[in-house]
Amino acid sequence: MNSLTPGGSEAARRFPDGFLWGVGTSSYQIEGAVDADGRGPSIWDTFVRTPGKVNRGDTGDIACDSYNRLADDVALLDALGVGAYRFSVSWPRVLPSGSGEVNQAGLDYYRRLVDALVEHGIRPVATVYHWDLPQALEDRGGWANRDTALAMGELAAVLADALGDRVSMWITINEPLQTVQQGYLNGSHAPGRRDPALAAAAIHHILLAHGFATQALRAGIAGAIVGPTMDTQPFNALDEDAAPAAVALDAEYNRVYLDPVLRGSYPADLRADLMPPDELVRGGDMALISAPIDFLGLNYYRPHYVRSGDWADLRLGERPVAGWPGTVHYMPPDLPRTVMGWAVVPEGLRDLLIRLHGETGGLPIYITENGCAADDYITPEGTVEDHERIAYIHGHLEAILEALTAGVDVAGYFHWSLMDNFEWAEGYRRRFGLHYVEFGSGRRLQKRSASYYREVVRTNSLPPEPRAPTPARAAGEPTPRVGEAELPEAPAAV
Ligand code: FCB
């Protein structure tokens, strides 16, 4: 994919007029203030207190303290010049018991946020559910209980009523795949279950929640723009013998969520133990789940690879593909990886966009997340030179331009994330932000990638090439203390 490398024509590097540039965050990852103003507990408050579940026992109790630093965050967004901000609503802040009584103080926080965004000309894009389920609902069975889907419809109606005059664009659910895989199959995320029967029920109910939320948002907001966010994960087979396993994994990870929404049915080749049982799928459910959507949200970080190989002879980093003897998950050794261990393959995004363009019948697709963790640090000059992240963004934007050229309606890009935050089971050790957060003081500091991204947004085009490092300190100049200095052209660190 080199058609757009430096030297490619300027027109070829431009994004379409009206392309929506944004950044994203989610409530539990940034807000902190878990006991403030009547918020109820979420499954993540419980999970982080379960020994051994989160790196170093980190919690979201304080996180980026965004609940109390709303104005600071909006100032960062303003300085980036983005047209949109994707945030999520903390369900237990708004409905502390999951359903029923509304906590007005919680709603008021989101009201203040969207008012401030609109005042700065930044379009609010709200995610109804980004993983912080009220513990009260978990106590009644969580996503394995159909009532949770109904409760999410109730939440969406409350949000439509409170914020619908200011928020027109809504994402119903974020990555149902991760709720099911990590929450119900491998137990690495809240609520930490490992039970395929519960997972099968969760699949159906989280999709149903998307359906109820879509219905409520459309009923409550004239002209609402509504869609789900999926993290469709490409599986590539490296040889013919591994191809059937790749198809099966595509059903288990991707088509099980895409097909119901886009076609109204579960894929026939889905792993039998994950197929939602008939008694859970009531008349009308599939029609509700497949009601028209306005866009597809796509989170893309990396693809996967499988190859045929003897299970007795695994190489380092490989593991068997469950249910497919003689097939292994594999990482081609020549691929660059981020500190998460995730392969960096921008052309995987291009190919996925082309696939989804076909599957959605040409719906607009927003990249609702894309980004990378890196071992960022503050230099003695007081800057954060995250060139790895700049290269990551650059490559993926190039891939989006190629998809656009191929005719895909990519309508926007939201970088993950506005700032370093609580990265779920990884805690604070994985930094995904365009801004460095000094956890403890809560100070935010612009990274080099923020300047790069600001330039992309300002020009609505891909810069000729990522900027090279610019070591700046003159001889004899004193070294600023960590966190003291500011980047050139940066908004004041707040
Ligand atoms: C996605 C999540 C998001 C963030 C990124 C790195 O799966 O939606 O909250 O953690 O990964």
Side-chain angles (χ1 to χ4, degrees):
M1 54 172 293
N2 276 324
S3 53
L4 296 165
T5 41
S9 82
E10 204 185 315
R13 293 202 307 265
R14 271 194 75 76
F15 286 82
D17 290 344
F19 192 85
L20 192 60
W21 293 105
V23 288
T25 60
S26 86
S27 46
Y28 188 74
Q29 293 180 278
I30 66 163
E31 285 178 5
V34 290
D35 292 323
D37 301 334
R39 177 188 179 276
S42 79
I43 54 174
W44 273 92
D45 297 285
T46 308
F47 195 69
V48 297
R49 287 179 169 72
T50 312
K53 290 299 188 184
V54 176
N55 180 53
R56 289 186 315 210
D58 288 348
T59 76
D61 288 1
I62 299 174
C64 306
D65 198 24
S66 287
Y67 190 74
N68 297 306
R69 288 176 166 260
L70 186 157
D72 297 346
D73 292 348
V74 174
L76 298 180
L77 293 163
D78 191 43
L80 276 176
V82 287
Y85 177 47
R86 175 187 178 218
F87 63 95
S88 81
V89 172
S90 162
W91 187 339
R93 231 183 250 301
V94 173
L95 296 171
S97 309
S99 64
E101 205 182 324
V102 174
N103 177 34
Q104 188 58 42
L107 270 182
D108 289 348
Y109 167 66
Y110 296 105
R111 185 73 213 183
R112 288 196 299 280
L113 174 63
V114 301
D115 284 351
L117 293 170
V118 171
E119 207 173 290
H120 285 81
I122 300 165
R123 183 173 184 181
V125 177
T127 305
V128 179
Y129 182 65
H130 197 132
W131 304 359
D132 45 358
L133 190 75
Q135 182 62 40
L137 293 180
E138 181 59 29
D139 295 343
R140 300 200 286 273
W143 287 111
N145 182 347
R146 185 181 176 93
D147 290 348
T148 298
L150 287 157
M152 194 169 125
E154 191 185 321
L155 170 67
V158 169
L159 296 178
D161 186 43
L163 307 174
D165 60 331
R166 294 245 142 150
V167 186
S168 59
M169 187 166 167
W170 294 82
I171 294 164
T172 52
I173 46 175
N174 178 70
E175 301 188 357
L177 166 66
Q178 299 310 329
T179 295
V180 172
Q181 285 289 328
Q182 305 206 70
Y184 284 86
L185 281 173
N186 68 34
S188 58
H189 278 189
R193 310 247 180 272
R194 292 181 185 181
D195 184 333
L198 295 180
I203 288 170
H204 187 62
H205 295 143
I206 198 159
L207 289 169
L208 201 57
H210 155 76
F212 283 128
T214 302
Q215 194 178 50
L217 292 165
R218 292 211 193 288
I221 308 169
I225 301 165
V226 185
T229 272
M230 304 288 185
D231 59 323
T232 308
Q233 314 228 343
F235 283 91
N236 303 296
L238 290 176
D239 56 72
E240 246 172 60
D241 289 345
V247 172
L249 288 164
D250 187 54
E252 178 185 338
Y253 280 72
N254 303 324
R255 286 182 281 120
V256 61
Y257 305 103
L258 290 168
D259 286 9
V261 171
L262 299 173
R263 293 181 236 286
S265 59
Y266 286 104
D269 61 339
L270 178 63
R271 233 174 86 178
D273 60 342
L274 290 183
M275 186 68 90
D278 287 348
E279 62 270 22
L280 291 187
V281 184
R282 299 194 190 159
D285 283 5
M286 299 315 287
L288 190 73
I289 292 170
S290 61
I293 50 175
D294 300 301
F295 66 89
L296 180 71
L298 173 67
N299 292 355
Y300 176 83
Y301 291 91
R302 55 161 170 173
H304 302 273
Y305 300 88
V306 292
R307 68 172 184 90
S308 55
D310 196 336
W311 281 13
D313 205 15
L314 293 178
R315 298 180 204 157
L316 197 66
E318 290 184 336
R319 61 195 164 85
V321 178
W324 292 87
T327 312
V328 300
H329 291 276
Y330 167 73
M331 176 75 85
D334 48 336
L335 291 178
R337 305 181 202 188
T338 71
V339 292
M340 296 289 282
W342 298 352
V344 180
V345 187
E347 53 270 43
L349 173 57
R350 176 199 57 203
D351 297 347
L352 180 58
L353 283 167
I354 292 170
R355 166 185 170 181
L356 292 174
H357 179 68
E359 290 205 19
T360 59
L363 270 185
I365 300 175
Y366 288 88
I367 310 297
T368 42
E369 286 181 28
N370 171 246
C372 76
D375 284 331
D376 302 323
Y377 59 92
I378 302 177
T379 65
E381 287 75 27
T383 63
V384 182
E385 302 294 340
D386 56 337
H387 296 282
E388 208 178 327
R389 180 168 293 104
I390 293 173
Y392 185 97
I393 302 174
H394 195 84
H396 287 80
L397 294 183
E398 202 169 51
I400 292 169
L401 281 172
E402 294 194 345
L404 283 160
T405 303
V408 183
D409 184 2
V410 190
Y413 174 91
F414 292 73
H415 187 72
W416 184 272
S417 178
L418 170 64
M419 58 192 156
D420 300 336
N421 56 47
F422 176 79
E423 179 47 34
W424 308 113
E426 299 286 344
Y428 295 101
R429 77 167 159 170
R430 297 299 182 224
R431 295 180 173 273
F432 272 91
L434 295 174
H435 294 89
Y436 189 94
V437 176
E438 212 178 47
F439 297 107
S441 75
R443 257 174 69 98
R444 285 94 158 115
L445 179 70
Q446 194 185 65
K447 299 182 191 175
R448 182 68 62 189
S449 57
S451 316
Y452 167 83
Y453 192 53
R454 189 172 36 160
E455 198 55 15
V456 170
V457 173
R458 190 184 67 76
T459 59
N460 195 34
S461 62
L462 192 68
E465 60 187 312
R467 286 195 201 153
T470 50
R473 197 158 44 99
E477 212 177 285
T479 303
R481 279 181 294 137
V482 166
E484 197 176 60
E486 290 168 7
L487 285 171
E489 302 169 59
V494 283

